Amino acid sequence: MKGAAAVANALAGKLVIVCGPGGVGKTTVSAALALAAANLGRKTLVCTIDPSKRLRTSLGLARLTGAPQKVKGRLFAMRLDPKQTFDDLVRRHAADPEARERVLTNRFYQEISRHLAGTHEVMAMEALMGVSGDFDLIVLDTPPASSALAFLDAPKRVLDFVDGRVLRYFLKPYFVAGHLAIEPRTMVGRTFLRILDSAVGLQFLRDLSEFFLAFEGLFDSFRQTANATGTLLRSEGTTFLMVTTPATSRVTEGAAFASALRERGLRAAAIVANRVHPWAIEGGVDTSFLDSDPGTSLLPTEVVGELRDLAAREQVRARGDARQLRQVASRSGLAAVLVPELETDVHDLRSLGAVASWLLPSEAPS
């Protein structure tokens, strides 16, 4: 029950961030956590940055929009649109309509707003902060990543980009409104421009310079957003949950994630081990009836033999899952919450409630 208590404490906070690699059931766990919290009487919003339709499917919804929508009772859901949030940030802070349009239509901005490392995560948190006052709890399903650490470092990566003043001040004297204003006066400057021209072309430099000129007034606002995101990740009401599966590679990832959280001063509640063999949780099943006298068995001898082989294989797999789970708990220092592999896919609130009852067994959802 140690893991269940950790989950209960996390759901008593303000923000639960669910992290983990792709394909481990992160979205299903996020939705189940939100359902459990809503059943406890907390007005809860579950949201995802993942553009896939997994959250919508788990909740049994026909559609999922970019605004909070009621699912049932005190449970709400939404799909975050980081690109739209970035555009809204530009519109909100660019007072000059002409400057605003120059930013939004700039080719370099289009690439940055979609692909710059960390931008989606920071913009997602910006959107969350805009609606957080309306809910008791927010459960955030983070996007799939090769490393769960990518989300943690997003504010720093964005700040590193925003604070890249050397590049901005080098380009600004030479390009004004997309035109080469003066030639560099130094040999180093001319050589550098020649290298850049051969590598990326002057048109790219014009686009880059135009972006910096148009975006210049927004750097402080963008920096404030990234700083606010970092502060929110470290606030007392924010807790991280790591979702994994009982596979060898996931043991290492879980331990590394827990260590990285501690290094950054962030709080992890527990590791949710999803799709665990049921026998690993229940301690196996009684198969002694297969050892009875073949003459008294109601089953044909060959069927009994096949069942014994099947039971042996399942026991091996269950013992393997149990061994991996002990390792991930030991190496991460976090309590583990076990969710068994279900016979059917999670596609509605009823099946989602089954997952929630394993995450928080003392408060089985209705």
Side-chain angles (χ1 to χ4, degrees):
M1 295 296 293
K2 185 178 179 181
V7 171
N9 289 336
L11 296 185
K14 183 66 177 176
L15 174 63
V16 174
I17 300 176
V18 182
C19 294
V24 295
K26 204 165 52 268
T27 303
T28 298
V29 169
S30 299
L33 287 167
L35 177 61
N39 283 334
L40 290 173
R42 307 205 73 197
K43 186 178 180 182
T44 306
L45 172 67
V46 56
C47 44
T48 184
I49 312 175
D50 189 354
S52 71
K53 301 176 181 179
R54 184 60 195 156
L55 180 59
R56 191 196 76 183
T57 302
S58 297
L59 295 170
L61 299 175
R63 60 194 296 266
L64 192 61
T65 67
Q69 63 187 84
K70 188 171 184 177
V71 179
K72 184 180 180 181
R74 300 182 67 79
L75 177 62
F76 295 76
M78 71 178 289
R79 176 184 55 80
L80 298 173
D81 187 342
K83 175 64 169 63
Q84 184 61 48
T85 304
F86 204 159
D87 291 347
D88 291 343
L89 183 69
V90 171
R91 293 188 180 97
R92 189 164 63 249
H93 292 283
D96 180 15
E98 184 178 345
R100 183 166 60 237
E101 286 308 308
R102 283 207 310 270
V103 172
L104 294 175
T105 58
N106 182 270
R107 186 176 66 174
F108 197 71
Y109 168 78
Q110 294 291 333
E111 290 299 314
I112 284 177
S113 60
R114 288 188 174 91
H115 305 300
L116 179 66
T119 299
H120 273 209
E121 290 84 352
V122 169
M123 288 299 103
M125 298 301 285
E126 166 77 8
L128 281 189
M129 286 185 278
V131 300
S132 61
D134 300 328
F135 298 93
D136 300 323
L137 172 69
I138 293 178
V139 179
L140 175 62
D141 169 38
T142 59
S146 57
S147 170
L149 307 182
F151 187 87
L152 308 182
D153 295 328
K156 182 180 183 303
R157 290 198 302 271
V158 171
L159 286 172
D160 288 344
F161 167 75
V162 171
D163 289 330
R165 295 189 179 92
V166 174
L167 179 59
R168 283 194 285 148
Y169 285 115
F170 176 82
L171 290 172
K172 188 174 178 180
Y174 304 140
F175 288 94
V176 177
H179 299 287
L180 190 61
I182 59 172
E183 288 290 340
R185 296 181 180 179
T186 66
M187 177 70 71
V188 174
R190 287 194 295 271
T191 302
F192 188 60
L193 266 186
R194 199 160 49 244
I195 294 172
L196 285 177
D197 185 20
S198 63
V200 298
L202 285 179
Q203 182 57 49
F204 172 82
L205 291 181
R206 293 188 181 95
D207 289 340
L208 183 62
S209 180
E210 176 69 20
F211 165 76
F212 280 127
L213 288 169
F215 203 76
E216 186 176 15
L218 300 174
F219 275 107
D220 286 341
S221 298
F222 200 27
R223 185 182 296 105
Q224 289 172 7
T225 297
N227 279 326
T229 297
T231 300
L232 180 61
L233 294 180
R234 289 167 176 78
S235 66
E236 187 175 345
T238 299
T239 308
F240 288 81
L241 282 174
M242 175 75 175
V243 181
T244 185
T245 55
T248 303
S249 61
R250 304 313 192 201
V251 171
T252 302
E253 290 177 357
F257 179 74
S259 176
L261 284 173
R262 286 190 287 268
E263 290 173 0
R264 291 161 174 78
L266 305 175
R267 286 194 310 280
I271 288 182
V272 177
N274 194 28
R275 300 172 188 156
V276 179
H277 195 294
W279 292 5
I281 300 176
E282 300 165 2
V285 295
D286 183 10
T287 59
S288 59
F289 70 95
L290 295 175
D291 299 324
S292 59
D293 186 348
T296 62
S297 175
L298 298 178
L299 298 174
T301 302
E302 60 272 15
V303 173
V304 173
E306 291 177 2
L307 288 175
R308 285 175 180 160
D309 291 342
L310 175 60
R313 290 195 298 270
E314 293 302 307
Q315 290 283 20
V316 169
R317 183 185 162 202
R319 285 194 292 268
D321 279 8
R323 183 172 57 254
Q324 298 290 3
L325 294 174
R326 286 194 297 270
Q327 288 188 33
V328 73
S330 173
R331 294 176 59 180
S332 68
L334 297 175
V337 182
L338 311 184
V339 178
E341 185 174 21
L342 303 180
E343 294 182 359
T344 60
D345 192 21
V346 177
H347 58 276
D348 56 22
L349 291 180
R350 185 183 183 88
S351 53
L352 196 63
V355 178
S357 67
W358 284 96
L359 293 169
L360 208 62
S362 61
E363 297 289 347
S366 60

